[in-house]
Amino acid sequence: MILGLKRSILLLAFITGLFGNISIVHADPDSNENNYEIEISNAINTFEAELLKKEQSFTTPQDLNSIAWIQAKLEHMVEVDQFMRNFSMDYPKEHLPSEWHKAFNEQFTSFYQRIDGNHTEWMKKILKAHHWVTVSKFGKKADHHAWLLVQHADNDPDFQKEVLLRLEKLVDSKETNPTSFAYLFDRVAASYNDESKRMKQRYATQGNCIGKGMWEPLPVEDPENIDKIRASVGLGTLEEYKSFFKDICP
């Protein structure tokens, strides 16, 4: 199952470059292991410094009744979210030997827990004030931003399921993006560690790398009609989706 860092792979189609000007100290490929430890430490310090700037850049006073404030707050949280995920995926791939990726990821995990957890709490506040960030009231961009933050609330699958039930009632009225609903449906279906709560996914968006350039979905409800089901929410064929992972799966 794609969890934690691996889950971000499924959202690459939505990720934009948000690095800004980041200064990274590079290690000599021929240097010893201690130098790589130093480079990991330098990378973490650099990330923390840039993260602090981004987190402190949003200073607008809280107003959960303001559409403009919620739009701006969601956009800022997504910027932080994507900066973190871009850094965690691109830095080790570009600057560290593969045997050091695990050590880097272990150190970086705490950022996912803190940032995703903080964003989840903000989403709960927003959704306590508003049933959902609907398209007609907040716009398509805000609807997408809100969905993305819920999609990354993996440490709170019950919250994800609660939101899914809200979105299910909004798809037909086009108050939320049906493609986003499909991703969240599958995320919830596959997310529970408790097998008694786990379900088969419907749209085949969640899965595992099974070899170099090869990806397979987790069990689906109706595999024989999967392409029709995917098309109903604006997704391409399953084979097209699999091909997206040819340069991603190690």
Side-chain angles (χ1 to χ4, degrees):
M1 183 182 306
I2 297 179
L3 297 172
L5 299 181
K6 293 182 180 178
R7 280 185 159 169
S8 57
I9 290 174
L10 294 179
L11 299 170
L12 283 173
F14 305 108
I15 290 176
T16 56
L18 296 170
F19 272 84
N21 295 320
I22 296 176
S23 176
I24 295 176
V25 177
H26 299 286
D28 182 341
D30 297 325
S31 60
N32 59 34
E33 291 186 351
N34 288 334
N35 284 338
Y36 284 120
E37 291 177 346
I38 292 172
E39 181 170 352
I40 289 177
S41 178
N42 286 338
I44 295 296
N45 291 338
T46 299
F47 173 78
E48 285 185 308
E50 292 294 323
L51 175 64
L52 183 62
K53 291 179 184 178
K54 289 184 180 296
E55 289 184 324
Q56 293 180 341
S57 67
F58 189 82
T59 58
T60 309
Q62 175 182 322
D63 185 357
L64 291 170
N65 293 317
S66 167
I67 292 176
W69 183 88
I70 289 176
Q71 290 170 328
K73 179 64 176 178
L74 290 170
E75 186 166 11
H76 176 256
M77 287 192 290
V78 167
E79 179 181 352
V80 172
D81 172 285
Q82 295 295 274
F83 168 70
M84 173 181 67
R85 282 172 163 80
N86 272 316
F87 193 100
S88 70
M89 289 187 293
D90 292 342
Y91 178 83
K93 181 175 63 177
E94 296 174 0
H95 305 291
L96 291 176
S98 59
E99 60 268 24
W100 277 81
H101 290 185
K102 181 179 179 182
F104 175 87
N105 290 338
E106 287 175 349
Q107 292 191 42
F108 209 90
T109 297
S110 62
F111 293 114
Y112 274 80
Q113 294 172 340
R114 178 172 72 81
I115 294 171
D116 286 347
N118 179 52
H119 290 170
T120 298
E121 292 308 307
W122 271 112
M123 285 306 304
K124 288 180 178 180
K125 291 179 182 179
I126 291 172
L127 297 186
K128 186 176 181 180
H130 305 273
H131 182 72
W132 178 247
V133 184
T134 54
V135 170
S136 62
K137 187 174 183 179
F138 294 89
K140 290 182 179 180
K141 180 188 288 187
D143 168 65
H144 173 76
H145 286 165
W147 159 77
L148 183 64
L149 295 167
V150 174
Q151 186 83 351
H152 288 163
D154 294 318
N155 289 327
D156 198 339
D158 289 332
F159 173 63
Q160 290 178 317
K161 185 174 183 179
E162 176 189 335
V163 173
L164 179 68
L165 295 176
R166 296 188 187 193
L167 297 187
E168 190 171 25
K169 299 176 182 179
L170 298 174
V171 172
D172 289 342
S173 60
K174 298 182 180 180
E175 288 289 7
T176 192
N177 188 324
T179 301
S180 299
F181 168 78
Y183 274 99
L184 185 59
F185 182 97
D186 285 357
R187 188 72 148 238
V188 170
S191 65
Y192 285 100
N193 291 325
D194 183 350
E195 292 188 7
S196 66
K197 295 184 178 181
R198 201 176 301 159
M199 306 175 293
K200 289 184 177 180
Q201 59 179 331
R202 181 172 296 167
Y203 305 97
T205 65
Q206 308 289 293
N208 294 317
C209 290
I210 59 171
K212 184 173 177 57
M214 295 186 294
W215 179 92
E216 285 293 332
L218 294 169
V220 297
E221 295 174 340
D222 187 359
E224 293 184 0
N225 295 301
I226 190 60
D227 284 343
K228 292 181 180 179
I229 295 170
R230 287 174 61 86
S232 70
V233 291
L235 292 169
T237 68
L238 181 55
E239 286 305 312
E240 290 171 342
Y241 191 63
K242 287 182 179 181
S243 68
F244 175 69
F245 295 90
K246 65 182 178 63
D247 296 323
I248 295 175
C249 286

